[in-house]
Amino acid sequence: MRVSRLHGVADIRLTDEPIPQVGPGMTLVRVTAVGLCGSDLHWYAEGGIGDATITTPLVVGHEFAGVIEGGPAHGRRVAVDPAIPCETCTSCRSGYRNLCPYIRFAGHDRLDGGLQEMIAWPTELLHALPDGVSDSDGAMLEPLGVALHAFDLGHLHLGGTVAVVGCGPIGLLLIQLARLAGASTIIAVEPLPHRAEAARRFGAVPPENAQADVVFEVAGNDAAVDTALELARPGGRVVLVGIPDEDRTSFRASLARRKGLTLALVRRMNDVYPRAIRLVEEGKIDVSSLVTARYPLTETPAAFIAATRRQGLKIVIEPQR
Ligand SMILES: [Zn+2]
Ligand SMILES: [Zn+2]
């Protein structure tokens, strides 16, 4: 089968590799759609993310969907939850599976992710896709899951005000979730015109001196964090979703302290796939329009270059093409 493997900074090679072994409790999945994510770009452009660095060649991609190959569920379309928690540690047993210190994650460290024709994955982490949810919609469930989890951490009250700093796909999903959850005003801060335009399309407005009860920072740099703190009302809540390039976040302490802000940090998501699927199936959240380009697996390097240039919104690779 064909595999797109990252060997080092900006070095993706298309290789021919054997179909993966299917161990007990695992299912073989033919990958149909893989979304490229900001975190994949960290692996691609910097050879790592946070304090994790590339040691052996890695198949990235953690936003993906596919079709079950073989077994009783052969042919079923599924979204793949990319996180494999240990299920036995204290975090897992107390309901914080996303905080499991032993968690393994697709396309991270030494666990190959979605940019290949086939993958073997724990059966219990495959979520059946309803007919109305396309393969690329299925890949979008991962960023929607992250947005849902971040949204939950915002504790928005009905009729409250929201600000989103950084309107890539997750920021745009947060805007939609805020609207759906009854936010009165949604402020969007985004320097790139095509993203700002998308934010407007989903009902967000520019800042204009307003302050928000809940602010989501989805850019991953200190300037955005400062903007988020400035937009928060006294006593407000700021949810940090972005991942900084350098493994450090800093902000003006006086700004946060004088307003008595509460900061929440997001670690991926908890068990939100079923909710994400329902929201897309019922047409309450639009993920389809966020997919603005599709590439075959053979054009993975071009797809990464386009993503690095922040062209469009979500870029999806279709390994079966
Ligand atoms: Zn991601
Ligand atoms: Zn655990």
Side-chain angles (χ1 to χ4, degrees):
M1 64 165 188
R2 291 175 306 174
V3 177
S4 272
R5 200 173 274 287
L6 181 67
H7 283 250
V9 172
D11 179 10
I12 287 180
R13 301 180 200 168
L14 205 72
T15 53
D16 204 6
E17 299 185 17
I19 289 170
Q21 296 288 326
V22 185
M26 310 275 277
T27 291
L28 194 61
V29 175
R30 191 176 283 280
V31 181
T32 50
V34 189
L36 294 190
C37 167
S39 62
D40 298 324
L41 297 181
H42 282 286
W43 283 104
Y44 173 80
E46 294 145 31
I49 182 165
D51 61 1
T53 53
I54 193 164
T55 46
T56 47
L58 175 72
V59 178
V60 299
H62 57 270
E63 306 177 354
F64 61 111
V67 182
I68 290 178
E69 180 72 24
H74 176 77
R76 178 178 296 161
R77 295 166 55 251
V78 291
V80 181
D81 182 340
I84 311 179
C86 80
E87 307 287 5
T88 57
C89 73
T90 309
S91 292
C92 283
R93 281 185 289 122
S94 47
Y96 297 98
R97 294 163 77 248
N98 59 317
L99 306 183
C100 171
Y102 312 105
I103 203 162
R104 295 185 306 139
F105 196 76
H108 191 96
D109 257 343
R110 253 159 293 185
L111 185 60
D112 285 343
L115 284 177
Q116 48 186 338
E117 278 184 282
M118 305 265 224
I119 191 168
W121 206 251
T123 308
E124 62 187 20
L125 297 176
L126 304 177
H127 298 270
L129 288 178
D131 287 341
V133 180
S134 72
D135 296 334
S136 57
D137 288 351
M140 287 300 293
L141 293 172
E142 201 275 343
L144 176 55
V146 172
L148 259 177
H149 179 61
F151 187 77
D152 290 346
L153 295 176
H155 301 184
L156 176 71
H157 292 183
L158 190 63
T161 52
V162 169
V164 175
V165 181
C167 299
I170 290 180
L172 293 172
L173 290 167
L174 279 164
I175 290 170
Q176 292 189 61
L177 289 170
R179 193 175 59 170
L180 188 61
S184 58
T185 305
I186 305 164
I187 298 160
V189 178
E190 169 57 53
L192 293 176
H194 67 285
R195 289 182 172 185
E197 170 54 36
R200 263 195 302 279
R201 187 159 55 82
F202 290 121
V205 297
E208 288 169 14
N209 306 325
Q211 289 203 314
D213 300 315
V214 184
V215 185
F216 297 95
E217 181 279 320
V218 208
N221 60 66
D222 287 348
V225 174
D226 274 338
T227 303
L229 299 177
E230 280 156 17
L231 284 168
R233 67 155 166 83
R237 226 174 142 80
V238 177
V239 182
L240 302 181
V241 192
I243 300 175
D245 287 348
E246 311 295 331
D247 187 16
R248 183 163 296 277
T249 299
S250 58
F251 52 83
R252 266 174 55 212
S254 57
L255 183 60
R257 193 168 48 78
R258 286 178 192 144
K259 286 188 186 177
L261 299 178
T262 300
L263 302 189
L265 278 78
V266 178
R267 170 64 164 168
R268 294 179 184 144
M269 71 179 101
N270 213 334
D271 285 315
V272 295
Y273 261 82
R275 286 163 65 201
I277 291 172
R278 282 199 294 275
L279 289 170
V280 174
E281 184 186 16
E282 293 168 8
K284 290 181 170 144
I285 295 290
D286 165 24
V287 290
S288 309
S289 77
L290 302 187
V291 177
T292 49
R294 295 161 197 274
Y295 291 81
L297 195 67
T298 46
E299 288 173 29
T300 306
F304 267 96
I305 289 166
T308 311
R309 292 181 182 150
R310 306 277 184 234
Q311 287 171 3
L313 297 170
K314 177 63 72 180
I315 290 175
V316 165
I317 294 183
E318 298 172 323
Q320 303 302 320
R321 255 169 69 189

